[in-house]
Amino acid sequence: MAGGGGAPAESRVGQVVLPGDVLLLPAYDEQDTERLPLGTSAAPRGRLLCGPGLRRCAGGLLVTKCGLLRHRRAGDGAAAAAGGAYWVDSQQKRYVPVKGDHVIGIVTGKVGDVFRLDVGGSEQASLSYLAFEGATKRNRPNVQVGDLIYGQFLVANKDMEPEMVCIDSSGRASGMGVIGQDGFLFKVSLGLIRKLLAPKCEIIQELSQLYPFELVLGMNGRIWVKAKTVQQTLIIVNILEACEYMTAEQRKQALAKLSGN
C-alpha cells in the first residue's frame, strides 16, 4: 500500500489502537489485470468490510476510536483471509446508528404517517407505517406512543435522519415489530450487548437452563426480557447486568445457587 508509518492490520488484531493510527492492508499484484487467470491457485480477492471505529484512507484503514482491533474472516483460504471485516471494539456510552443494526426503539410521537422513535442516539429515528409486514393504507399497524419497536436501520449516516423498518429485504417481519406490553426493558453497555449477540454465547446458554424466558437484544444497548413470573424476570435482569463485571466462574457459582433454590 502507499501509506507509510503504519502497521499491518493483521499484526494489530487484538491490540489497542488509537485514533490516527493507520492500518496497512495486504498488497495485491495488479500489474497484469487484463488477463483472466485460469488456474485454481488464483483465488479472487476477498471482500473487506470496514466496521465501526475505522475509516478507509489512501494508506488502508484509519482508526477513529480507541479500543481493541478485531477481525472476522470471511471463510477459509488465502483470499478469504485477506477479506472479512475489521472493527474496533470500544467501550463507548452513546450509541451511533449503523445501517443494518437491529435496535429497540421507544415510540415518542407521530407526525403524519411517520412514527418518531427514541433509539438512544443523538437524534430520533423515523419509522413509516408502511414499514411493517402486511401494512397498507387501509391496514395500518396498531402502534401507540410508548410502545417498544424492534427493527433495523435502513438509513443511518451523519448527513441524514436515521430511518428504521420492521421488515427484511423480502418483506417479512422476521421477528421485528411491536414488542409485547409485558416484560422488562433495561439498558446495558454496548460491549455487553456485542458479547451477548456472539454466536453460542455461554451467558445465554446458561440462563436458558435456569428459567424459560423471552429475550430481545438491541445493538443500542437495550434489552427486553420476559419470564414466566415477575420474580424470574427480575432475577434474569440482575444476572445480565452483573455479567459485565463477573468472571465465568463467578457467574456459574451464582447460577448454581439460584438453580439450587
Side-chain angles (χ1 to χ4, degrees):
M1 302 297 293
E10 294 182 356
S11 65
R12 298 296 301 275
V13 174
Q15 299 181 7
V16 177
V17 292
L18 301 175
D21 290 349
V22 177
L23 305 175
L24 304 179
L25 299 177
Y28 295 87
D29 187 8
E30 300 178 354
Q31 296 178 356
D32 192 4
T33 57
E34 297 181 355
R35 297 184 180 181
L36 179 65
L38 300 178
T40 57
S41 60
R45 177 173 177 174
R47 182 183 179 186
L48 179 66
L49 298 179
C50 182
L54 298 173
R55 189 173 60 190
R56 292 185 181 272
C57 65
L61 298 177
L62 178 66
V63 180
T64 59
K65 292 181 182 178
C66 177
L68 298 177
L69 181 65
R70 303 296 187 186
H71 179 229
R72 183 179 69 244
R73 293 175 178 268
D76 298 330
Y86 283 98
W87 74 95
V88 177
D89 190 1
S90 59
Q91 293 290 340
Q92 72 180 50
K93 295 183 179 180
R94 177 178 289 275
Y95 172 72
V96 179
V98 178
K99 181 180 179 181
D101 275 3
H102 289 74
V103 298
I104 299 177
I106 304 175
V107 180
T108 59
K110 181 181 179 182
V111 181
D113 296 332
V114 177
F115 299 103
R116 309 292 299 175
L117 276 73
D118 175 22
V119 294
S122 59
E123 58 180 332
Q124 295 186 344
S126 62
L127 174 66
S128 173
Y129 74 95
L130 293 175
F132 293 84
E133 182 180 3
T136 60
K137 291 185 177 180
R138 291 186 177 182
N139 183 26
R140 300 196 174 201
N142 184 19
V143 179
Q144 305 296 330
V145 175
D147 286 350
L148 302 179
I149 303 291
Y150 179 66
Q152 65 176 343
F153 282 111
L154 181 66
V155 176
N157 58 60
K158 61 180 180 179
D159 300 321
M160 297 180 64
E161 179 186 63
E163 181 181 348
M164 288 179 57
V165 293
C166 292
I167 52 177
D168 55 14
S169 57
S170 60
R172 300 288 184 177
S174 299
M176 293 180 286
V178 181
I179 303 177
Q181 297 292 334
D182 299 331
F184 190 89
L185 179 70
F186 63 103
K187 186 174 176 61
V188 298
S189 67
L190 302 181
L192 180 58
I193 283 291
R194 288 191 289 266
K195 185 185 298 183
L196 295 175
L197 288 172
K200 299 181 181 180
C201 176
E202 295 182 356
I203 300 175
I204 302 299
Q205 293 178 357
E206 294 171 358
L207 283 176
S208 62
Q209 298 176 1
L210 184 63
Y211 302 123
F213 61 92
E214 299 178 36
L215 184 68
V216 180
L217 301 173
M219 284 295 294
N220 55 343
R222 292 174 179 169
I223 300 179
W224 179 85
V225 180
K226 179 184 177 183
K228 189 175 181 180
T229 63
V230 177
Q231 182 181 7
Q232 293 180 359
T233 301
L234 295 177
I235 289 175
I236 295 174
V237 169
N238 291 331
I239 293 175
L240 288 174
E241 289 180 337
C243 280
E244 187 174 4
Y245 311 101
M246 297 170 61
T247 63
E249 188 63 28
Q250 292 174 342
R251 184 179 69 248
K252 292 180 180 179
Q253 292 178 0
L255 292 174
K257 291 181 180 179
L258 291 172
S259 60
N261 296 333

